[in-house]
Amino acid sequence: MPELPEIETIRRDLEQQVVGDTITGIELLWPGAVAFPEVPPLGDLVAGQRIAAARRRGKYLILDLAGGGRLVLHLRMTGRLHLVERGVPRGPHLRAICFLASGRELRFMDQRRFGRLGWVPDEAALAGLLCDLGPEPLAAGFTLEVFRQRLAGRRGALKPLLLNQQFLAGLGNIYADEALFRARLPPLRTAGSLSPEEQARLYAGIRAALEQGIRNRGTTLRDYQDAWGARGLNQEQLLVFRRDGRPCPVCGRLIVRLRVGGRSTHLCPRCQPLPA
Ligand SMILES: [Zn+2]
């Protein structure tokens, strides 16, 4: 599933490539991909609209339209968004096409069909849609002090907390495991029990794991591709995720995989000792 670095990679490509271009129409090959609104048709709302900005919030991609509306996209598990020239043969699992005045097409593919696109009329409606999301971990306003305040009093384990989009927006299974390893913290540690030094390590670990992912244009384990249909490079640089049975890059002990909160979790038992 694409996480913050993967969506940010797509966003940066789109910002360079499609901002300033105009949407001429939308073809829905699977209308179920449109989560909202039901009426009027999405194509009528966006046709003729210039794309004014490409933004990201958590794992959501947002295209601001000059007329005030916003196109919102969530790729979920297997969604892909490709920017192609018109005439490129259509591949499988194509759910929607956004035609651009430049002659190019934004194509939304999604094998598992969990991904969704939608439209909201203005910034207030967008804020309402995304109101449950926690802070952006790479935003300037997300300081160590803000992170400390959010951790205080939390009784749950760290791993599920990092996956909770209301706690922090954008992390999924890959970057949560990478952040915890960088912080030398076990996934089952109680969030509220961290010392100030451990809180600082986790804060730095989260940001470093995400920043590396963005630098490497995302992690492709199976489905993720950037807007050009290319794989990311970060899977070659992961420290623990899906590296069970291989040596820890710090101490050499074999990385193990366990289930935490129903999710596959990867860690070094020596660098991240479990609570006694
Ligand atoms: Zn280790």
Side-chain angles (χ1 to χ4, degrees):
M1 182 189 282
E3 305 178 25
L4 187 157
E6 289 73 46
I7 304 303
E8 179 64 17
T9 300
I10 294 172
R11 185 201 72 76
R12 290 180 182 189
D13 286 348
L14 294 186
E15 183 170 57
Q16 287 191 349
Q17 293 290 324
V18 306
V19 168
D21 211 336
T22 297
I23 298 172
T24 56
I26 284 188
E27 179 181 346
L28 290 175
L29 294 100
W30 181 58
V34 180
F36 50 89
E38 288 187 20
V39 282
L42 187 64
D44 295 355
L45 294 164
V46 302
Q49 294 279 333
R50 186 172 54 81
I51 299 170
R55 290 187 287 157
R56 180 192 55 74
R57 179 78 173 95
K59 303 175 194 173
Y60 289 85
L61 187 67
I62 300 140
L63 294 179
D64 291 347
L65 306 179
R70 281 102 169 88
L71 261 179
V72 185
L73 183 74
H74 198 301
L75 296 178
R76 295 285 177 83
M77 289 185 72
T78 58
R80 292 172 172 169
L81 190 65
H82 286 178
L83 180 64
V84 299
E85 297 294 329
R86 192 160 300 166
V88 169
R90 297 181 176 189
H93 315 304
L94 190 58
R95 307 299 178 206
I97 304 173
C98 184
F99 299 100
L100 300 172
S102 61
R104 297 170 301 173
E105 300 176 356
L106 268 176
R107 294 183 183 176
F108 172 53
M109 284 84 67
D110 190 10
Q111 184 182 3
R112 299 284 301 273
R113 301 192 196 209
F114 289 117
R116 290 291 181 270
L117 65 149
W119 178 91
V120 291
D122 52 32
E123 193 66 18
L126 181 70
L129 179 72
L130 306 179
C131 66
D132 284 339
L133 288 180
E136 284 291 323
L138 296 179
F142 183 66
T143 61
L144 175 56
E145 193 48 45
V146 169
F147 187 50
R148 287 192 205 284
Q149 287 164 9
R150 295 186 75 76
L151 282 172
R154 294 272 183 171
R155 279 172 293 197
L158 283 176
K159 174 74 185 274
L161 186 64
L162 293 184
L163 297 178
N164 178 351
Q165 300 300 296
Q166 296 183 25
F167 175 72
L168 201 56
L171 273 88
N173 215 28
I174 300 171
Y175 295 96
D177 280 6
E178 293 290 298
L180 287 167
F181 174 77
R182 287 170 179 268
R184 306 196 302 279
L185 289 168
L188 287 170
R189 267 292 289 279
T190 306
S193 76
L194 299 187
S195 71
E197 198 251 327
E198 288 171 329
Q199 291 174 335
R201 290 208 312 258
L202 184 54
Y203 175 81
I206 290 168
R207 293 173 52 119
L210 294 173
E211 282 165 355
Q212 178 191 292
I214 294 171
R215 264 199 316 279
N216 289 325
R217 298 188 57 79
T219 301
T220 301
L221 296 168
R222 203 180 65 125
D223 293 298
Y224 167 72
Q225 295 181 346
D226 67 16
W228 311 110
R231 292 162 59 85
L233 301 169
N234 199 52
Q235 61 278 7
E236 314 297 335
Q237 308 290 330
L238 294 175
L239 303 173
V240 289
F241 191 81
R242 297 238 178 127
R243 295 185 57 80
D244 38 307
R246 290 197 259 181
C248 165
V250 172
C251 76
R253 181 93 170 256
L254 294 186
I255 293 163
V256 299
R257 182 179 58 174
L258 25 110
R259 302 288 285 184
V260 175
R263 303 296 298 273
S264 204
T265 296
H266 310 76
L267 61 92
C268 170
R270 183 178 291 157
C271 295
Q272 301 163 270
L274 290 163

